[in-house]
Amino acid sequence: MDAGRERAGPVRGAPRAVRDLLDATDPGLVRLVGAAHTVGAICLALAVLWALGFDTPYLVAAGSSALVWSMVLTGPREAEQAVTHALGLPAALLSATAAVLLAPYPVVSGTFFVALLFVTVYVRRYGPRGTALGMNAFQMYFVMQFVPLPAAGLPRLWAALAVAFACGAVVRFALLRTSPARSFVRLRRSVRACLADVTGALAALADGGDASGRDRDRDRAGRIAALRRRLRRLHTCALMLQDAVEACAAPEVAAPVRTRMTETDVRAERLAVMLLRLGQDGGTSPQDFAHRLHLPVTGVPTGDAGAGAGGASLAARLRALPELVATGAAPAPAARPVPAPVPTAVTALADAHRALTDFEQAAAGLHEAFRRDPTPGTAPSAPPPPRAPSPPEPGGLRRPTTRAAVQVACGATLATAGGQLISADHWYWSVLACWMVFFNTSSTGEIALKGSRRVAGTLAGALVGLFVASALAGRPWPAFVLTLVCVFGMAYTAALSYTAATFFITLMIALLSDLLGSYTDGLLWIRIAETTFGVLCGVAAAVVVLPRATGRRTDVLLGDALRALAEAVTATARRLVAPDAEPSPDDLIRAAHTADRRVEELERALTPLVHPVAPHRARRRTSLYVLGLLETCAYHVRVLAVEAGRGEPGSWSRSPARPLLEERARTVADRLEALAEGRVDGARPRAPGGAPEPGAAAPEEARVLKHFRRMDDDVRALTAALRRGGAGAPDPAAGDGPARGPA
């Protein structure tokens, strides 16, 4: 990628570098497009209303409505978004009308506010549409608390809100339309940018550098960390691409893209593992280096990947890799054999050359699959295969949405009473903070962590707002432009950092108060106090009222992830040994994709436990270790899905290695199922001796058997970690990790 920028020249290369950076760090430009929708809707609504002569309070109400609605309106397809958008206006009108009519009656207004909070959280059970409508109704009621209007102004308020929704529709569905096909095109570009970053990191890893001793080890550690980040980013983008192509392409187009994307993802990771092995002693298992990409281990390989003629040849191939990936011009396998100067005894170097060839071929196949672009607006020609039914949700107060609704109602009641004591004019900030900590959270730990981030962002925004508001006093246009910048920053960082989003919100409040002529230095200190008190009320409600411990939720998600991995392993084995056509290669990729998503859900739920400031250090180490093992298992599942899908069904039916394959697959699946059921000691033990090792397995068969064995090693290590529980994570280097069999 750097060479491409040099050839393009400094003027042309700078915009290209910025675009590549955005594509790689924001897959599909999801955050950028969302922020553009928000700012565009606000600007268009304010411009129209200003031209029509609406006063400032109506502009603030309409702009706030456009802001909130643009951020919460989601849905996989445009038609679903359009229906939700049409329902959003009545919800906003009813909520705003109630706020205006109840304003003269503080007690009634506060009671209605708490009831509305309950309903807002309760309707989350109806999916994205219920969440969006509830959020919109609550935010409009909240906005009308600091934009008081007389009842006589309701007709103009209704008109302003109608204009805001109309402008939002124009921006989303016309000016900045985002169809599934366009999302796929942007994700395809992001995949290419991520691949360019990964190839650069791989070349840097193979380059020994000029430093020596401790500096060299430190430099290599930094390169490994960079490679891990870029591989993770590529994997995230790959999962998003598979979701996008499912919604916009016919099956005959979507299936090759899913397969090639998964193959490229796993080939890149395998190449990284092989490069990490270079220069190590022959007794070290590749499993150790696979763990370096997933587990929080310490220690850095000190081998020299560039030693010898074979190493020089590998380095030259890696330097040429970005160009091959960009053009899709990788040669056929027969045209790129392992170079002759490589001694056959140097297994790691030979494996690295073969892994590089596999990656080149996978990238070329992905490039070819990308040429078959889906037609915008094309719906799948056949419905997707039915998914396994989800287990029924518990009823009554055990239902997550009902529990959260009761918690937020109790917390909001306390926040309303206490917020009135802090400031009778700004008590609603306390209620807002209490409610926000329950948004997109499902456990006490998540609520506490989100609350701390909101307080930190509010404090930082208030400190900056004190300076900015005073510097821009009496200068409305710069303040207005900076307000739009804050809106963009809030929308862009909302999915990335809640602390940053809260910072922009607080700074925007300071600027808006200055524009409305109500700013005082004490205003921001009141916001800090109200926010802190509201967060404390929310956390207290989560701890006291129907609490749901973080560990209980993570146990459920861990079981889901383990079952998904077991199903993928079983499907792969069935494809290899059964002569029928099911499961298809695409079904295997879907199963691996489901397992990846389940592990992702568990990772998000574990955030409070693995946070650097988490109080239970041993539990944090255990959680990180377990999560790393699950990610390694998911990697093996992806590799096995790719390998099994390349051949015909039942290709192992007459192989001498079939009994060993069936035993290993059954053992892995049984262990995973036992762990999913909470039985860390109840897995079916391996039979003494087991199936005999095949005398001479084909290279493809040997690779599949190795991945099954290594996955079994990981699952046994996972069993040991879960058995020990909070006693501390096993240390792979100390012998408590996966078994060290020969490579």
Side-chain angles (χ1 to χ4, degrees), residues 634-659:
Y635 160 70
H636 289 306
V637 162
R638 294 195 299 273
V639 175
L640 291 170
V642 170
E643 295 293 341
R646 296 175 67 180
E648 295 297 325
S651 57
W652 286 56
S653 58
R654 298 183 179 180
S655 171
R658 174 179 176 174

Side-chain angles (χ1 to χ4, degrees), residues 198-211:
V198 167
T199 54
L202 290 170
L205 184 64
D207 182 9
D210 299 328

Side-chain angles (χ1 to χ4, degrees), residues 157-180:
L157 176 62
W158 297 336
L161 294 180
V163 169
F165 271 81
C167 292
V170 170
V171 171
R172 179 176 291 270
F173 301 114
L175 300 180
L176 296 176
R177 183 186 175 195
T178 303
S179 64

Side-chain angles (χ1 to χ4, degrees), residues 179-431:
S179 64
R182 294 185 181 185
S183 297
F184 169 76
V185 171
R186 288 195 293 267
L187 281 167
R188 184 186 62 186
R189 195 170 62 238
S190 293
V191 166
R192 287 172 172 163
C194 289
L195 280 174
D197 281 350
V198 167
T199 54
L202 290 170
L205 184 64
D207 182 9
D210 299 328
S212 60
R214 185 174 300 177
D215 291 338
R216 178 170 180 168
D217 290 347
R218 188 183 303 112
D219 178 67
R220 190 164 175 80
R223 296 182 185 192
I224 293 175
L227 177 60
R228 291 177 62 173
R229 289 193 302 269
R230 294 178 183 185
L231 283 171
R232 189 175 184 85
R233 192 181 296 162
L234 173 64
H235 180 57
T236 300
C237 196
L239 295 180
M240 294 176 63
L241 180 79
Q242 294 177 49
D243 291 334
V245 76
E246 176 74 27
C248 71
E252 61 270 14
V253 176
V257 170
R258 275 194 298 268
T259 301
R260 294 298 186 181
M261 185 69 257
T262 303
E263 183 177 4
T264 303
D265 185 18
V266 299
R267 298 305 185 209
E269 192 158 350
R270 174 173 169 77
L271 177 56
V273 170
M274 294 300 105
L275 292 178
L276 286 172
R277 289 183 63 200
L278 291 180
Q280 307 307 300
D281 59 81
T284 305
S285 168
Q287 188 80 340
D288 301 335
F289 303 104
H291 290 163
R292 291 188 186 278
L293 300 177
H294 300 123
L295 297 179
V297 297
T298 58
V300 181
T302 56
D304 186 0
S313 173
L314 178 66
R317 292 181 63 187
L318 287 170
R319 284 193 293 271
L321 190 57
E323 185 68 22
L324 292 175
V325 169
T327 60
R336 179 79 70 168
V338 177
V342 180
T344 56
V346 186
T347 306
L349 192 54
D351 286 345
H353 275 282
R354 283 190 288 268
L356 179 52
T357 299
D358 290 341
F359 177 66
E360 290 173 346
Q361 298 304 319
L366 180 63
H367 191 275
E368 181 64 27
F370 277 169
R371 291 178 179 175
R372 302 180 63 185
D373 291 339
T375 303
T378 300
S381 58
R387 298 181 179 180
S390 302
E393 284 191 344
L397 294 178
R398 293 188 301 167
R399 186 190 291 266
T401 52
T402 305
R403 178 193 297 110
V406 174
Q407 289 175 332
V408 77
C410 295
T413 302
L414 182 61
T416 301
Q420 291 279 359
L421 298 177
I422 297 175
S423 173
D425 295 328
H426 302 287
W427 58 270
Y428 44 81
W429 279 339
S430 179
V431 181

